[in-house]
């Protein structure tokens, strides 16, 4: 795929409520995967259960008050006052339900924009997806209490699978992990490499498993200085993969990213999690195309073309 041909217009084209609802119905029918359909069905079921419970509870209260009031011989004025108060409570709960539905519809308008963008460019998309096992910083160090994968978009970049998604994990009270990431599947054997763009972005590379091969590079800025961490003897290979062009897109001022090469994957982690940001999408797609080009060059040189070095 040529990044210059990507259509970003759907990311900023606001769909109508009817269009968003049509997309939601498609999702419910399974057009965007089983997980998305399950999420939509569950949300609708939860709303119906909540309304049924609240409505039933209020009705029960009204019936009890009416019976008690009648047994005590209250006059019609007191009864009407009780009815009025009950009506106010019902109206309040009804308003909360309407606000909840409107919020859900706004969420689906954003999902509809993402889906329109994916369809315009022949990408696969799943607003909700089954969590996947990925290496590096995406691999949990302990079992999460809850995890999700959302806004997953996939495409083929010069024969290499690419995915962009938001990964969320919760490990208990006051402990959670959320990141928007780009993943490119590599078909070459590369040593582990960790790139830190020099900004406050989480996750960051582990500085302890190797050395920084960019430490003595005079061409790099002193402010927000990036680091390229790799094990001894693999510095040349790491630097050949993380070219000046790749380091340039990862240290971009508007959307910098940390990255790593680990277990056959190139993974980049972004600070912004806005699924409709055209600038972020342009940066991720350009990065994926560049990684695919670099990978193809490595593939053409293998085997035996990337020897260990003393760095």
């Amino acid at each position: 795929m040529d990044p210059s041909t990507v259509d970003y217009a759907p990311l900023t084209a606001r769909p109508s409520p009817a269009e968003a609802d049509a997309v939601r119905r498609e999702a419910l029918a399974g057009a965007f995967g089983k997980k998305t359909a399950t999420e939509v069905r569950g949300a609708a079921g939860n709303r119906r259960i909540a309304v049924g419970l609240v409505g039933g509870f209020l009705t029960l209260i009204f019936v009890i008050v009416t019976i008690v009031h009648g047994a005590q011989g209250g006059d019609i004025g007191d009864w009407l006052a009780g009815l009025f108060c009950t009506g106010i409570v019902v109206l309040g709960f009804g308003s909360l339900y309407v606000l909840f539905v409107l919020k859900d519809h706004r969420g689906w308008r954003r999902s509809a924009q993402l889906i329109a963008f994916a369809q315009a460019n022949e990408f696969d998309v799943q607003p909700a997806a089954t969590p996947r096992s990925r290496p590096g910083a995406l691999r949990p160090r302990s079992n999460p209490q809850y995890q999700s994968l959302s806004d997953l978009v996939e495409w083929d970049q010069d024969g290499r699978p690419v995915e962009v998604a938001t990964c969320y994990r919760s490990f208990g009270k006051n402990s959670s992990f959320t990141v928007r990431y780009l993943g490119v599947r590599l078909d070459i054997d590369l040593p582990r490499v960790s790139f830190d763009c020099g900004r406050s972005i989480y996750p960051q590379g582990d500085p302890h498993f190797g050395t920084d091969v960019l430490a003595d590079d005079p061409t790099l800025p002193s402010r927000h200085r990036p680091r390229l961490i790799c094990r001894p003897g693999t510095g040349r290979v790491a630097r050949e993969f993380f070219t000046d062009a790749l380091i340039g897109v990862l240290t971009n001022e508007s959307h910098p990213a940390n990255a790593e090469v680990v277990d056959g994957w190139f993974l980049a982690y972004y600070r912004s999690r806005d699924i409709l940001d055209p600038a972020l999408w342009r940066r991720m797609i350009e990065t994926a195309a560049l990684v695919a080009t670099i990978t193809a060059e490595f593939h053409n040189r293998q085997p035996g073309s990337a020897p260990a070095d003393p760095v």
Side-chain angles (χ1 to χ4, degrees):
M1 182 198 66
D2 184 352
S4 65
T5 64
V6 175
D7 181 9
Y8 297 97
L11 293 171
T12 55
R14 186 178 178 86
S16 67
E19 290 171 333
D21 190 59
V23 171
R24 187 186 65 81
R25 289 197 299 270
E26 287 184 58
L28 184 60
F32 309 114
K34 293 181 179 180
K35 183 67 173 179
T36 299
T38 300
E39 293 283 338
V40 176
R41 195 176 300 114
N46 289 340
R47 285 198 300 271
R48 287 193 294 269
I49 291 173
V51 171
L53 289 175
V54 172
F57 180 69
L58 292 176
T59 301
L60 179 62
I61 291 177
F62 177 71
V63 170
I64 292 174
V65 169
T66 301
I67 293 175
V68 172
H69 192 270
Q72 293 176 347
D75 58 31
I76 188 65
D78 292 337
W79 185 86
L80 289 176
L83 178 63
F84 175 77
C85 292
T86 303
I88 292 296
V89 174
V90 171
L91 180 62
F93 275 99
S95 300
L96 289 176
Y97 173 72
V98 170
L99 290 175
F100 180 79
V101 171
L102 290 176
K103 181 180 179 181
D104 183 55
H105 285 177
R106 283 195 296 269
W108 269 103
R109 281 202 296 267
R110 291 180 61 82
S111 294
Q113 287 175 265
L114 181 66
I115 290 169
F117 165 69
Q119 293 176 337
N121 295 286
E122 299 183 349
F123 297 163
D124 294 326
V125 59
Q126 296 182 58
T130 301
R132 298 176 173 183
S133 176
R134 293 293 179 259
L138 295 179
R139 178 177 293 151
R141 291 181 172 84
S142 60
N143 292 328
Q145 293 184 358
Y146 174 80
Q147 58 181 332
S148 67
L149 193 69
S150 60
D151 304 316
L152 171 66
V153 178
E154 300 175 283
W155 69 93
D156 181 279
Q157 183 63 53
D158 301 331
R160 287 164 182 82
V162 178
E163 63 187 42
V164 171
T166 300
C167 176
Y168 171 79
R169 294 191 183 99
S170 174
F171 299 92
K173 186 176 181 181
N174 300 325
S175 178
S176 63
F177 169 92
T178 307
V179 65
R180 187 76 171 160
Y181 76 91
L182 161 71
V184 182
R185 190 74 172 94
L186 310 177
D187 60 353
I188 55 176
D189 184 19
L190 290 174
R192 181 184 176 188
V193 184
S194 178
F195 178 80
D196 186 337
C197 68
R199 305 298 182 94
S200 298
I201 297 177
Y202 184 81
Q204 294 178 315
D206 182 0
H208 304 296
F209 83 90
T211 57
D212 180 11
V213 300
L214 300 179
D216 299 324
D217 192 332
T219 65
L220 296 173
S222 57
R223 186 170 180 265
H224 303 309
R225 187 178 183 85
R227 296 184 302 163
L228 188 63
I229 310 297
C230 62
R231 290 188 173 92
T234 62
R236 182 187 304 169
V237 178
R239 193 64 176 92
E240 287 178 353
F241 188 90
F242 280 83
T243 62
D244 290 345
L246 182 54
I247 291 175
V249 297
L250 293 174
T251 55
N252 174 265
E253 287 292 329
S254 59
H255 292 294
N258 293 334
E260 59 183 335
V261 171
V262 56
D263 294 345
W265 281 89
F266 169 86
L267 299 165
Y269 310 109
Y270 294 85
R271 176 186 298 154
S272 173
R273 297 194 292 271
D274 185 356
I275 65 171
L276 301 179
D277 183 352
L280 176 58
W281 271 107
R282 186 174 287 106
R283 187 62 54 193
M284 291 190 294
I285 289 172
E286 289 174 352
T287 302
L290 182 55
V291 168
T293 299
I294 295 171
T295 304
E297 293 173 354
F298 266 75
H299 187 272
N300 293 334
R301 294 203 306 261
Q302 287 189 341
S305 59
D309 60 74
V311 177

